[in-house]
Amino acid sequence: NSINNENGGDSSNDNGGIHSLALQEEAHVGHMKAVVFLRPTDNNIGLLVRELSRPRFSEYHIYFSGILPPNLFQLLCENDPQDRVKQVQEFYADFLPINPDLVSLNCRNTLQMTSALYKRNILGLQSMLLANKRQPGTIRYQKSSRLAKQLAQ
């Protein structure tokens, strides 16, 4: 079975968290293992902590689409009293490849760059660079955009 948040839990486009969990809150499937793939956000960790407080699966294998901050990892560890989490891994896949030379972060409503959207762009770029094992020497950006300059630095 799979626990999947298609929108990654980003508050700018979240439709209620971990979707398959929300569909069957009362279902107990203790004989099954859960595979969880989600973006490492405060909201998603909160949903995972809530799930682990009353676990419905025999094991949880958790994969994050980017770097899991140490404080969120600590929170996750502290809230697994039954030791149901068997593995936690970072799998840098917080972007959508379109062509070999083009990716999308799949962000909507980007004309007004909010702080949440700015952070989402940083994390998406970071994930893309880590997945491709690249460290850019130069990042090009539009000269008139203060946020693009900040993002490039």
Side-chain angles (χ1 to χ4, degrees), residues 37-38 62-67 88-95 127 131:
F37 183 75
L38 65 167
I62 304 170
Y63 300 88
F64 290 99
S65 65
I67 295 175
V88 176
Q89 292 187 29
E90 295 169 340
F91 185 76
Y92 307 115
D94 204 4
F95 59 94
S127 178

Side-chain angles (χ1 to χ4, degrees), residues 21-103:
L21 285 180
L23 293 176
Q24 297 182 353
E25 285 284 334
E26 69 284 344
H28 180 77
V29 285
H31 62 286
M32 297 181 78
K33 299 175 184 179
V35 176
V36 184
F37 183 75
L38 65 167
R39 186 173 293 136
T41 64
D42 293 339
N43 185 47
N44 283 342
I45 296 297
L47 291 168
L48 208 46
V49 163
R50 188 176 81 197
E51 168 65 21
L52 291 172
S53 70
R54 293 183 26 217
R56 292 176 289 141
F57 297 93
S58 62
E59 295 180 2
Y60 291 82
H61 300 266
I62 304 170
Y63 300 88
F64 290 99
S65 65
I67 295 175
L68 179 64
N71 62 321
L72 294 181
F73 181 67
Q74 182 69 30
L75 182 64
L76 189 61
C77 291
E78 291 169 352
N79 288 282
D80 182 21
Q82 298 179 29
D83 292 325
R84 297 282 181 102
V85 176
K86 299 304 177 193
Q87 66 176 316
V88 176
Q89 292 187 29
E90 295 169 340
F91 185 76
Y92 307 115
D94 204 4
F95 59 94
L96 177 65
I98 297 175
N99 290 328
D101 59 345
L102 180 64
V103 299

Side-chain angles (χ1 to χ4, degrees), residues 93-112:
D94 204 4
F95 59 94
L96 177 65
I98 297 175
N99 290 328
D101 59 345
L102 180 64
V103 299
S104 171
L105 299 180
N106 204 24
C107 295
R108 294 173 180 87
N109 304 321
T110 59
L111 289 178
Q112 278 201 302

